[in-house]
Amino acid sequence: MLHDLFTPSVQHALDLVGIFVFAISGALLAVRRNFDVFGMAVLAEITALGGGLLRDLVIGAVPPAAFTDLGYFSMPLVATALVFFLHPQVERIQNAVNVFDAAGLGLFCVTGTTKAYAYGLGLTSSVVLGLATAVGGGVLRDVLANEVPSLLRWDRDLYAVPALVGASIVALCIRFDALNALTSTLAVVTAFVLRLLAMRFHWRAPRAWNRRSAAEEGPEA
C-alpha cells in the first residue's frame, strides 16, 4: 500500500496538497457563481473533503479524518483566502491547477480503495469507495452550486473513468496478492496520465447508441 512507499509525514503532506488543489477548484467555482466569502469556504471544504468524508462514514472510520486532523480542515480555508484575494491570478494558471488536480485524483482513488479494503469491504465495494473518494467532493460542489455534476455531462473530459481505472488496478493487485509500493504507484500514475490525456485530447464518454433526441444541448458551465 502507499504507506509502504511513503513515510507518514510524506503521505500526510501529499494528502494536504491534494486537498489544497481540490479546494482551489471549489473556491474558483464559487467566485464564478458570485458567492460571498462564506460560500467560497463552504464549496472549498466540500470539494476537498467531501469524498473522503463519505468514504470514512461508509466504512465506519469515525470520527472521519477531516474532523480529527486540523490540517485537513484548515487547508481549504487557506485555498479560500488565496482565491479570495488573488482569483484573477489563479484563473490564469488554471492549466497548472488542473495538472495538480489530476494528481490528486490519482492519489485519492488509490488511497480510498486501499483504506476501504483495509476496513473489511470487498473488492468491488472498495473500488466504488475509491472512486467516491476521488470524485465525490466535486459532485457535492456542483450540486451545491446548482449545476449538473461535471462527471455526468457528456461535454466534459473524462474524470471519473481515470479514477475508476486507478481504483480497479488496486483491486486487481489485491486480488492477486500483488499490491505493493510499485503497483500502488503504478495505479496512481495510470489514473493521473489518463486524466491528463483526457484533458489534452478531450476524451469523452459516448452517449446513447443511435441517439435521436432533438433536445438542445445544455449550456456550458
Side-chain angles (χ1 to χ4, degrees):
M1 294 185 183
L2 286 182
H3 56 70
D4 297 323
L5 178 62
F6 302 119
T7 65
S9 60
V10 173
Q11 180 62 52
H12 186 256
L14 290 172
D15 286 343
L16 290 179
V17 170
I19 287 171
F20 179 77
V21 176
F22 281 175
I24 288 285
S25 70
L28 284 174
L29 177 59
V31 171
R32 297 181 190 123
R33 300 291 289 179
N34 203 30
F35 288 6
D36 63 16
V37 66
F38 182 76
M40 292 172 61
V42 169
L43 279 197
E45 293 280 359
I46 287 294
T47 307
L49 304 176
L53 181 62
L54 173 63
R55 176 204 61 213
D56 288 350
L57 291 175
V58 170
I59 64 179
V62 292
F67 293 101
T68 59
D69 189 315
L70 183 60
Y72 287 178
F73 185 80
S74 59
M75 190 58 70
L77 299 181
V78 174
T80 299
L82 178 67
V83 174
F84 181 81
F85 290 107
L86 299 173
H87 66 86
Q89 290 82 356
V90 176
E91 289 277 12
R92 283 199 289 269
I93 61 169
Q94 184 65 58
N95 288 337
V97 172
N98 288 340
V99 171
F100 283 107
D101 181 88
L105 181 81
L107 177 66
F108 285 175
C109 73
V110 172
T111 57
T113 304
T114 55
K115 185 171 183 178
Y117 185 78
Y119 272 77
L121 268 66
L123 292 178
T124 301
S125 299
S126 296
V127 169
V128 171
L129 279 189
L131 175 62
T133 303
V135 306
V139 172
L140 294 174
R141 172 202 64 204
D142 293 343
V143 170
L144 286 178
N146 198 29
E147 294 191 356
V148 177
S150 295
L151 83 165
L152 300 181
R153 295 185 55 169
W154 73 273
D155 57 346
R156 291 292 186 267
D157 301 332
L158 293 179
Y159 194 80
V161 171
L164 182 61
V165 170
S168 298
I169 291 174
V170 172
L172 287 173
C173 290
I174 293 173
R175 172 65 179 81
F176 294 104
D177 196 26
L179 186 65
N180 52 44
L182 179 61
T183 55
S184 295
T185 303
L186 175 64
V188 172
V189 172
T190 300
F192 172 62
V193 171
L194 282 176
R195 173 57 181 160
L196 291 183
L197 290 173
M199 291 189 295
R200 173 64 178 83
F201 297 106
H202 302 297
W203 291 347
R204 294 167 183 171
R207 289 185 285 174
W209 188 255
N210 289 331
R211 179 177 175 273
R212 294 187 177 87
S213 172
E216 294 184 0
E217 307 295 355
E220 291 283 342

